Amino acid sequence: MDKLIDIKNVRHAYQTQDGRLPVLDGLDISVPEGGFVAVVGPSGCGKSTLTKLIAGLMKPDEGEVWLHGKRVTSPRSTVGMAFQNPVMLEWRTILKNVMLPLEIVASKMSRREQEERARYLLALVGLEGFEDKRPSELSGGMRQRASLCRALVHQPDVLILDEPFGALDAFTREDLWQTMHQVKAKEPFTCVLITHDLRESIFLADQVVVLSQRPARTQYVLDVPDTGPRDLDHLYTPEAAEMLNILRHQIEVAQGRAPAQPEADEVPEPPPGSTAQGMV
Ligand SMILES: Nc1ncnc2c1ncn2[C@@H]1O[C@H](COP(=O)(O)OP(=O)(O)OP(=O)(O)O)[C@@H](O)[C@H]1O
């Protein structure tokens, strides 16, 4: 399958008052068209930095980022992004907030088509009837749904989600996970999700990449078996428990709280299709 996102041997450091801070150290990640990769790793290891490099908001010191066969060297309008705290413009209605990217990317759609597309997406995420509300009139979960519509409205090649559900309560979060599956079925996208929630990662993604401690490298890759449509019950199966155990262990390794080579009986066998890469 074609690689839609190809991150090749990316190294990046920030200049700080205390000198250079190496953040990414030879990172390789590729995502096929329509793929959904979740990136997990210790706090501060460089996950958000990775999203900025994919979106072209920053250039890596070394290595290359490719999107759809083109090297990323500047901000790309073909990327949609949603963050933990969606910034919505209070003086615009929800509908007009969702339409905003179409104004910024100078869409070829007519005004009426733009509005129809925004209304279609809002209905898809369950916000029909809220189009004329202001952002402050919506709950956090509803704002996050609107933010997802705004990220998708211009049909981006890539959707980048940086902890979009992190600030929501558990029930709302699980509701949104299911919405994500419903949206993807109707509006296929290629996605990179940054998350601290391992359950979220295996529920949403088809591959989970564990990054090492900063400066981050790819420490482990878990392929989530495709068992057809997922519902929340999938998270309570023995297979899910096994995957979560593996990921939890890998995070502990990344944090330096567990040895890289566990005793054979400490960690269950990876499920079929999973691959370990360069354990630290
Ligand atoms: N513009 C910047 N200038 C200097 N240092 C930065 C800058 N942006 C991020 N950093 C530092 O780089 C490191 C990686 O930051 P980044 O936000 O990418 O990590 P993260 O994995 O997303 O963190 P978290 O899991 O806590 O959200 C952190 O130590 C952070 O303080």
Side-chain angles (χ1 to χ4, degrees):
M1 221 187 288
D2 276 355
K3 290 174 186 171
L4 195 131
I5 307 173
D6 204 6
I7 296 162
K8 298 182 190 173
N9 200 20
V10 159
R11 289 191 160 73
H12 195 72
Y14 289 110
Q15 275 310 330
T16 70
Q17 286 180 336
D18 304 323
R20 269 179 98 251
L21 180 75
V23 173
L24 301 177
D25 181 26
L27 201 60
D28 289 301
I29 296 177
S30 53
V31 188
E33 183 146 18
F36 196 131
V37 166
V39 179
V40 300
S43 189
C45 73
K47 300 180 292 296
S48 296
T49 302
L50 172 66
T51 65
K52 289 176 194 150
L53 295 174
I54 298 173
L57 301 175
M58 287 181 347
K59 276 197 265 183
D61 293 340
E62 284 178 50
E64 296 169 5
V65 178
W66 292 73
L67 285 190
H68 236 154
K70 286 195 188 123
R71 190 160 170 195
V72 177
T73 52
S74 56
R76 298 291 285 263
S77 59
T78 53
V79 171
M81 296 182 92
F83 304 93
Q84 183 165 338
N85 297 309
V87 179
M88 295 261 161
L89 307 179
E90 186 58 25
W91 60 91
R92 292 176 74 124
T93 62
I94 291 299
L95 181 71
K96 295 242 164 75
N97 266 284
V98 171
M99 288 166 68
L100 197 59
L102 296 172
E103 294 168 23
I104 294 168
V105 302
S107 162
K108 292 197 182 82
M109 286 185 210
S110 69
R111 187 77 185 168
R112 196 171 58 83
E113 287 168 333
Q114 292 182 9
E115 195 175 313
E116 273 170 14
R117 169 131 183 96
R119 284 186 186 279
Y120 161 77
L121 286 171
L122 283 166
L124 197 56
V125 301
L127 286 182
E128 198 168 8
F130 293 89
E131 295 86 348
D132 297 327
K133 300 279 185 207
R134 303 281 159 177
S136 60
E137 294 178 276
L138 267 54
S139 68
M142 291 161 101
R143 271 200 296 276
Q144 204 49 269
R145 285 172 196 272
S147 156
L148 184 62
C149 296
R150 186 176 57 183
L152 285 170
V153 75
H154 58 304
Q155 292 173 303
D157 283 345
V158 175
L159 178 64
I160 295 176
L161 303 175
D162 195 346
E163 295 186 53
F165 315 122
L168 304 174
D169 66 82
F171 296 119
T172 308
R173 202 179 311 153
E174 290 185 352
D175 248 10
L176 267 148
W177 295 350
Q178 296 180 89
T179 300
M180 284 296 295
H181 277 298
Q182 288 153 11
V183 171
K184 193 161 194 290
K186 293 263 164 79
E187 282 276 319
F189 50 75
T190 304
C191 186
V192 175
L193 165 75
I194 307 296
T195 181
H196 286 282
D197 187 330
L198 300 181
R199 291 167 73 243
E200 178 172 299
S201 74
I202 63 164
F203 187 69
L204 291 179
D206 35 56
Q207 192 169 67
V208 184
V209 174
V210 180
L211 297 187
S212 69
Q213 191 78 275
R214 193 187 71 227
R217 299 178 65 88
T218 306
Q219 173 180 298
Y220 188 86
V221 178
L222 177 87
D223 289 327
V224 181
D226 181 5
T227 50
R230 289 178 203 169
D231 58 37
L232 291 171
D233 289 344
H234 276 78
L235 289 173
Y236 300 96
T237 59
E239 291 77 17
E242 199 169 292
M243 286 190 278
L244 291 172
N245 266 342
I246 293 167
L247 290 173
R248 214 168 283 130
H249 172 74
Q250 288 297 330
I251 295 284
E252 284 174 5
V253 172
Q255 292 168 329
R257 294 196 288 129
Q261 300 289 349
E263 296 301 319
D265 57 355
E266 260 184 70
V267 168
E269 285 290 309
S274 298
T275 47
Q277 291 195 352
M279 300 249 258
V280 289

